[in-house]
Amino acid sequence: MQMKKFINDPHHLLPELLEGLALAFPRQVRLVGTNIVARAVPKAAGKVRLVTLGGSGHEPGLSGFVGEGMLDYSVTGEIFAAPGAPRCIEAIQMAAKDSPGVLLVVLNHAGDVLSANITMQAAKKNNIPVQMVLTRDGISYGQNSDSANDRRGLVGCMAVYKVAGAVAEQGDSLDECLRIAQKMEENTRSLAVALRTATHPSTGHTIFELGDDEMEIGMGQHGEAGTGRMKMKSADETAGIMLDMLLENLGVAAGENLLVVLNGSGATTLMELWIVFRAVSKILKARNINLVRSAVGEFITTQEQAGFQIMIARMDTELVRLWDAPSNAPYFVTR
Amino acid sequence: MQMKKFINDPHHLLPELLEGLALAFPRQVRLVGTNIVARAVPKAAGKVRLVTLGGSGHEPGLSGFVGEGMLDYSVTGEIFAAPGAPRCIEAIQMAAKDSPGVLLVVLNHAGDVLSANITMQAAKKNNIPVQMVLTRDGISYGQNSDSANDRRGLVGCMAVYKVAGAVAEQGDSLDECLRIAQKMEENTRSLAVALRTATHPSTGHTIFELGDDEMEIGMGQHGEAGTGRMKMKSADETAGIMLDMLLENLGVAAGENLLVVLNGSGATTLMELWIVFRAVSKILKARNINLVRSAVGEFITTQEQAGFQIMIARMDTELVRLWDAPSNAPYFVTR
């Protein structure tokens, strides 16, 4: 069966999708070096630069968050594949120019971490001031005592980009950017659910299998199996199961303040996300937890997978202010 | 087979999805009257109010565009069904309070137009100053001489909301809002393509049928058949076919300035939309047509249908300025 996607040559997905992004948002982003997305108008000297790296196929993430108030550079890999270290080093060198330092934000996935570690070593050798933060928000189904390093990176990276980006924008030091990024990262948890698989655009194969009446909780960002396969549930029931696990894992108590991001995987309608968000909101209210900020949309997808991620983050006054700070990134404009 | 959507009772979709929207964006929108979406903070007296009406199931449209700089009220119908006239009249009466007048923006679909016409008569009887603009951007496949009234409303309404909303925000008269809305409407054309159908969330039935290797150009906003059924084409070829028809229908000449909106139908990835946008951009460049503004994302969907709409609009300095004006609508924030 022919793959039903609007593409050209499956071997040229990456340069074509990046070119499209840059052409669609010429006032926000441009392409530099080898498949690296940068701000169209780089901030003048003296600002800490935020760099991220990761595979493609998750649009708008990660490159959709390059812009004033968020990322400075996004180093892109092929579909679901980490970019190699040489291109990450290329980006770090560009970023370090006229800058007091670089904060590298990396999602916790083996390939990305490997490239990031080589990049950090190279930076050290070249006396480039770089700090790295690993985003480890994705919890597993039924595992409430997981250690941070067991958790993979899901949509939580977006919250780190946003608050660390805001700190960098106001001219703060690399240490301060790192402190804020780490605070955000430590206080963020996400959990994914899937209803239907997607097709890998390079190979034309479906990414996983799921029964006609099944859903799976705990999926990874690339459709990796979760451990929570079960009969499909209603929106309210699904939100309840997932939120229980998230709140317990993060240790959220009554009276605390939360940011909730509801991130569609690709084919789940916004209608469904709004209905799920309603359930999330009601559950938090019943538990006397304050929903202080929220975002509902598609931020980091898995092709046309049906499903979503719920992200919760413990917020204080400082993080709320930085979350609210202005951004002109193509897919997260805030005023 | 069980419907694979995250919902609760299929008979309560509308109130639940609206509640979710209002809970997710409490600083932008709130619910008033009977399933009417209004701004959270209504503008003080003296401003022309923009009201729209239409069925649900197309999220984020239409209610996702209520906010400062765009709509004042969105009157929502059930899934793919026009709201009845009584609720439209209810919204018009709210909108007219302390206002010099109301601009009603209606997508050209039989049910919506019927409700709108009854509403206009009621407003006239009650001496409420209302003007109406009908958005008729959707062209048919292979019909370059269609008359305006043959064209159905597709994503073009968003451009009308944006520019007319900006004029209303700056305190201009109802006549001026109408002039701008009409100018935008007359200069806008859209064309849809589908690759894969979606499931109607109330009935659980698929909306249309399409072969495994087929695509269809000219689809309506609710999955109504187009007349351009053909073998699937590449992103570049599809963009070429569609753009040829759009440019001819609108009569665009070399040297003119265009806004292009690429609107995903629901399940088509942003990766694909960026690749299609790249093609659109190259074709326009080759024809010496200036791409002055663009937007790429999901604005008005058809559940999880795979496909997209290309919208083109002839822009002058005035329309570009209004398109760029700030908006805080949940799904179209501009700065």
Side-chain angles (χ1 to χ4, degrees):
Chain A
M1 198 179 109
Q2 192 172 357
M3 172 164 44
K4 286 212 123 175
K5 289 189 196 266
F6 289 109
I7 58 174
N8 298 304
D9 185 339
H11 299 101
H12 294 136
L13 290 168
L14 182 58
E16 292 191 0
L17 74 89
L18 290 179
E19 210 181 319
L21 170 66
L23 287 163
F25 298 93
R27 294 187 296 177
Q28 284 107 312
V29 299
R30 67 194 168 109
L31 302 182
V32 296
T34 319
N35 295 331
I36 296 169
V37 180
R39 295 189 189 187
V41 186
K43 190 92 173 182
K47 176 191 166 294
V48 168
R49 303 274 153 78
L50 252 71
V51 178
T52 200
L53 61 94
S56 297
H58 307 292
E59 291 65 37
L62 313 175
S63 304
F65 305 122
V66 173
E68 198 190 310
M70 290 186 84
L71 294 169
D72 292 273
Y73 294 91
S74 165
V75 191
T76 63
E78 299 289 336
I79 304 297
F80 297 173
R87 296 203 297 104
C88 301
I89 295 167
E90 183 187 351
I92 292 286
Q93 282 167 337
M94 285 192 278
K97 217 179 259 177
D98 304 323
S99 165
V102 178
L103 182 66
L104 182 62
V105 185
V106 182
L107 286 75
N108 192 22
H109 298 287
D112 294 325
V113 172
L114 185 65
S115 289
N117 285 341
I118 298 172
T119 303
M120 291 298 287
Q121 286 166 12
K124 217 173 192 175
K125 223 182 257 173
N126 291 290
N127 295 314
I128 298 176
V130 185
Q131 293 285 359
M132 174 174 147
V133 61
L134 204 58
T135 69
R136 303 159 301 179
D137 51 312
I139 69 171
S140 308
Y141 179 79
Q143 224 187 313
N144 292 316
S145 57
D146 52 2
S147 77
N149 283 325
D150 291 339
R151 297 195 303 261
R152 292 173 294 200
L154 296 179
V155 68
C157 61
M158 194 184 89
V160 174
Y161 300 156
K162 184 68 191 69
V163 297
V167 173
E169 210 68 42
Q170 67 194 26
D172 285 3
S173 69
L174 178 56
D175 282 351
E176 178 64 3
C177 292
L178 179 65
R179 180 184 73 80
I180 287 293
Q182 281 176 338
K183 180 160 97 170
M184 187 80 241
E185 196 278 322
E186 286 162 13
N187 285 288
T188 299
R189 296 291 184 280
S190 303
L191 184 57
V193 63
L195 268 188
R196 238 191 343 263
T197 188
T199 301
H200 193 299
S202 309
T203 65
H205 297 138
T206 51
I207 297 172
F208 58 91
E209 298 298 331
L210 204 54
D212 278 352
D213 59 349
E214 287 181 326
M215 67 181 202
E216 186 159 327
I217 296 179
M219 308 286 301
Q221 185 61 57
H222 313 87
E224 300 94 333
T227 49
R229 187 167 290 208
M230 60 188 77
K231 292 281 170 210
M232 240 193 91
K233 306 260 183 300
S234 72
D236 286 1
E237 289 166 332
T238 307
I241 294 169
M242 294 172 72
L243 211 46
D244 274 353
M245 296 178 54
L246 285 163
L247 295 170
E248 186 173 338
N249 194 297
L250 186 59
V252 179
E256 288 199 293
N257 296 325
L258 286 192
L259 157 70
V260 173
V261 173
L262 203 54
N263 173 45
S265 303
T268 285
T269 62
L270 205 46
M271 174 194 83
E272 291 162 84
L273 295 184
W274 292 354
I275 291 173
V276 171
F277 188 83
R278 169 183 174 272
V280 169
S281 176
K282 283 182 186 297
I283 293 165
L284 294 180
K285 195 171 182 183
R287 294 174 69 148
N288 201 25
I289 295 164
N290 307 313
L291 178 63
V292 293
R293 289 294 183 273
S294 51
V296 182
E298 288 180 357
F299 304 109
I300 302 188
T301 62
T302 307
Q303 292 293 305
E304 76 284 16
Q305 180 177 308
F308 59 84
Q309 298 174 12
I310 302 179
M311 186 206 98
I312 64 167
R314 182 184 282 116
M315 301 294 274
D316 59 13
T317 315
E318 180 177 61
L319 291 179
V320 168
R321 183 181 60 76
L322 296 168
W323 176 260
D324 286 344
S327 155
N328 83 346
Y331 289 91
F332 202 68
V333 181
T334 56
R335 300 169 49 186
Chain B
M1 199 179 106
Q2 193 173 354
M3 172 165 43
K4 286 212 125 176
K5 288 187 197 269
F6 289 108
I7 59 173
N8 297 304
D9 185 340
H11 299 101
H12 294 136
L13 290 167
L14 181 58
E16 292 191 0
L17 74 89
L18 291 179
E19 210 182 318
L21 170 66
L23 288 164
F25 298 94
R27 294 187 294 179
Q28 284 106 314
V29 299
R30 67 195 168 111
L31 303 181
V32 296
T34 319
N35 295 331
I36 296 169
V37 180
R39 293 189 190 188
V41 186
K43 189 92 173 182
K47 175 191 165 294
V48 169
R49 303 273 154 77
L50 251 72
V51 179
T52 199
L53 61 94
S56 298
H58 306 291
E59 291 66 35
L62 315 177
S63 304
F65 304 122
V66 173
E68 200 189 310
M70 291 186 81
L71 294 168
D72 291 274
Y73 295 91
S74 164
V75 191
T76 63
E78 300 288 336
I79 304 297
F80 297 173
R87 297 203 296 106
C88 301
I89 294 168
E90 185 187 349
I92 292 286
Q93 283 167 337
M94 285 192 277
K97 217 178 259 177
D98 303 323
S99 166
V102 178
L103 182 67
L104 183 61
V105 184
V106 183
L107 286 74
N108 192 23
H109 298 288
D112 294 325
V113 172
L114 184 66
S115 288
N117 285 339
I118 298 172
T119 302
M120 292 298 287
Q121 286 166 12
K124 214 172 194 177
K125 222 182 256 174
N126 291 290
N127 296 314
I128 298 175
V130 186
Q131 293 284 0
M132 174 172 146
V133 62
L134 204 57
T135 69
R136 304 160 299 181
D137 50 313
I139 69 171
S140 309
Y141 179 79
Q143 224 188 313
N144 292 316
S145 58
D146 52 2
S147 77
N149 283 325
D150 292 338
R151 297 194 302 260
R152 293 174 293 199
L154 295 180
V155 69
C157 60
M158 194 184 88
V160 174
Y161 300 156
K162 183 68 192 67
V163 297
V167 173
E169 210 68 43
Q170 66 193 29
D172 284 4
S173 68
L174 179 56
D175 282 352
E176 179 64 2
C177 291
L178 179 65
R179 180 183 73 79
I180 288 292
Q182 281 174 339
K183 180 160 95 169
M184 187 80 241
E185 196 279 321
E186 285 162 13
N187 285 288
T188 300
R189 296 292 186 278
S190 304
L191 183 57
V193 64
L195 268 189
R196 238 191 343 262
T197 187
T199 302
H200 193 297
S202 309
T203 66
H205 297 138
T206 51
I207 297 172
F208 58 91
E209 298 298 331
L210 203 54
D212 277 351
D213 60 348
E214 287 181 326
M215 67 180 201
E216 186 159 327
I217 296 180
M219 308 286 301
Q221 185 60 57
H222 313 87
E224 299 94 334
T227 48
R229 186 167 291 208
M230 61 188 77
K231 292 281 172 210
M232 240 192 93
K233 306 260 183 300
S234 72
D236 286 0
E237 289 165 334
T238 307
I241 294 169
M242 293 173 74
L243 212 46
D244 274 353
M245 296 179 54
L246 285 162
L247 294 170
E248 184 171 341
N249 194 297
L250 186 58
V252 179
E256 289 200 291
N257 296 326
L258 286 192
L259 158 70
V260 172
V261 174
L262 202 56
N263 174 45
S265 302
T268 285
T269 62
L270 205 47
M271 173 195 82
E272 290 162 86
L273 296 183
W274 292 354
I275 291 172
V276 171
F277 188 83
R278 168 182 174 273
V280 168
S281 176
K282 284 181 185 296
I283 294 165
L284 293 180
K285 195 170 181 184
R287 294 174 70 146
N288 202 22
I289 295 164
N290 307 313
L291 178 61
V292 292
R293 289 294 183 273
S294 51
V296 181
E298 289 180 357
F299 304 109
I300 302 188
T301 62
T302 307
Q303 292 291 307
E304 76 284 15
Q305 181 177 308
F308 60 84
Q309 298 174 12
I310 302 178
M311 187 205 100
I312 64 167
R314 181 183 283 117
M315 302 295 275
D316 60 12
T317 315
E318 179 176 61
L319 291 178
V320 169
R321 185 181 60 77
L322 297 168
W323 176 260
D324 286 345
S327 156
N328 82 346
Y331 290 92
F332 203 68
V333 181
T334 56
R335 302 169 48 187

